[in-house]
Amino acid sequence: MRGRFRHAGHVKRVATVFLVGIVAFLIARRELIPADFGTLGFYRAGAIDEARARPIAYAGNASCVDCHRGKYENEFADPAAPPADPVSDNRHSVLRCESCHGPLALHAINQKKRDAGEDAPDTPVPLVTADKLCLGCHLEITARPAFQPQVRVGDHGDTDKCASCHRPHRPRTDEDDEG
Amino acid sequence: MDQNRRAFLKQSTRYVLLTGAATVAWEYIVAGAPEQAPNYRIADHWWGMTIDVDACIGSGNCVRACKEENNVPLEDGYFRTWVERYRVDPADPEHPLVDSPNGGYDGFPQIDNPGGRFKTFFVPKMCNHCADSPCTQVCPVGATFDSPDGVVLVDKERCVGCRYCVQACPYGCRFIDPRTHTADKCTLCYHRITQGLTTACAEVCPTGARKLVDFKDPKDPVHEFLRTHRIHVLKPELATGAKVYYNGLDGAVR
Ligand code: SF4
Ligand code: SF4
């Protein structure tokens, strides 16, 4: 009988070591793994919120039209026969404002703040007349599809600036003749 | 469970408070589209993209806007989206000439096409937000994952920069951000699309070649588009469940 538990002391010591190990592991695991890890899958659920919570650079066309609708109609539509969509009456109608004017979320946010009497810097919309910008889409290069109007620099319009003949919002020069 | 939820909610609130700028942006930016509800319901969306190869004019607008919107390093080699140009010899379609100088950021130079002998076109590329993404499967620490609305995201706080995912992506869509030494890639502008905006690349695309789509929205024109066009995804043989659908994709594109 006694012989059987002669070595119980050893067993207890080993068991204690294991127990301490297991508890230490559980505590470490609890500390290291974020509380929201695994609630939705093998990842930290809070990472989804973090991915959403970032500032925006491009405001989106809806936001531009919200304030500049009047300007739009003057620039883009035929005043005699206003189209249902204020931007449809032009060759550049498919372009969004920020395609050429660049990111404008700051402009929109600051302007709204200023309108509300808050303190915010003036961030005007840059006027866009740079030839480089026009040529980004209209320079003749290999692989540019045939439907896209393209020019070879030098063959077209001498060295004048694009905007000296083409109004950026209504670039078609034949438009006036067509009536 | 309850404990977890509370912690999760607490954390969510913290981020909302922390990011006042984004909240303000949302308020004003979406002001022009009142139909956009402020409460984003993650279960109601399944995001993807369509790219019309025939419509792409290689302007590089998307590449520049993406870097601007997402604070991507401006050096060559770091892209969340880029544009490739293909020049295919019809007699040897297996070996196209492909160039993408600085990802198309500065546009494309003229290259030879004597007598119009070659077939040429542009192909915009980006993360395909694969439904069965190889990249998320290899991450040892759960730092990259498929969100419930079908967007593949990276948790920069957890990422240990081991590069497994960079190697696992068969499309070369990931890189290690040299500033944080963590993995980075297209988020499908998650901060925009969950607030009623389209992606930056789709916003500035002059021809509408790129379109953000929501497959769970029955009114999304994507359903009609997929029905009426010849559609292909990149490397379908790998069964990644790619969700960027190309119209007019040539067999020479890899
Ligand atoms: S394209 Fe690459 S990075 Fe994007 S989800 Fe698929 S495997 Fe992952
Ligand atoms: S680099 Fe980061 S995200 Fe990619 S597998 Fe390693 S830990 Fe995961």
Side-chain angles (χ1 to χ4, degrees), chain B residues 124-207:
Chain B
K125 290 204 172 166
M126 57 182 281
C127 169
N128 293 278
H129 294 280
C130 307
D132 301 305
S133 46
C135 57
T136 61
Q137 290 169 35
V138 299
C139 181
V141 295
T144 183
F145 56 94
D146 306 283
S147 71
D149 45 359
V151 180
V152 176
L153 297 171
V154 179
D155 178 355
K156 293 217 162 203
E157 302 228 328
R158 277 195 79 72
C159 176
V160 293
C162 69
R163 292 170 166 77
Y164 282 180
C165 59
V166 179
Q167 297 210 29
C169 172
Y171 306 101
C173 294
R174 288 175 171 252
F175 60 91
I176 297 289
D177 190 323
R179 299 162 301 194
T180 57
H181 306 290
T182 55
D184 200 272
K185 64 177 274 296
C186 163
T187 62
L188 206 61
C189 281
Y190 200 68
H191 60 303
R192 299 175 60 86
I193 65 175
T194 54
Q195 293 176 10
L197 295 167
T198 188
T199 63
C201 57
E203 177 68 35
V204 302
C205 178
T207 62

Side-chain angles (χ1 to χ4, degrees), chain B residues 13-96:
Chain B
T13 335
R14 201 178 84 218
Y15 286 121
V16 168
L17 290 179
L18 263 182
T19 51
T23 317
V24 170
W26 180 84
E27 262 185 50
Y28 294 122
I29 287 161
V30 187
E35 72 277 10
Q36 303 293 353
N39 300 319
Y40 179 73
R41 284 176 43 111
I42 207 163
D44 291 349
H45 305 275
W46 186 249
W47 298 107
M49 199 142 211
T50 55
I51 295 181
D52 189 346
V53 175
D54 296 331
C56 178
I57 59 170
S59 68
N61 266 14
C62 51
V63 185
R64 291 186 290 273
C66 175
K67 289 211 178 197
E68 177 84 38
E69 178 76 40
N70 296 300
N71 191 19
V72 177
L74 288 178
E75 294 95 340
D76 193 0
Y78 300 108
F79 301 104
R80 286 182 173 199
T81 185
W82 68 98
V83 180
E84 293 172 358
R85 173 168 60 185
Y86 279 72
R87 194 185 76 177
V88 186
D89 184 346
D92 182 20
E94 292 277 296
H95 303 97

Side-chain angles (χ1 to χ4, degrees), chain A residues 107-129:
Chain A
H107 161 78
I109 294 163
N110 284 343
Q111 201 52 48
K112 285 272 180 189
K113 282 188 185 161
R114 287 163 71 88
D115 292 351
E118 284 174 53
D119 191 28
D122 188 19
T123 29
V125 178
L127 270 185
V128 176
T129 50

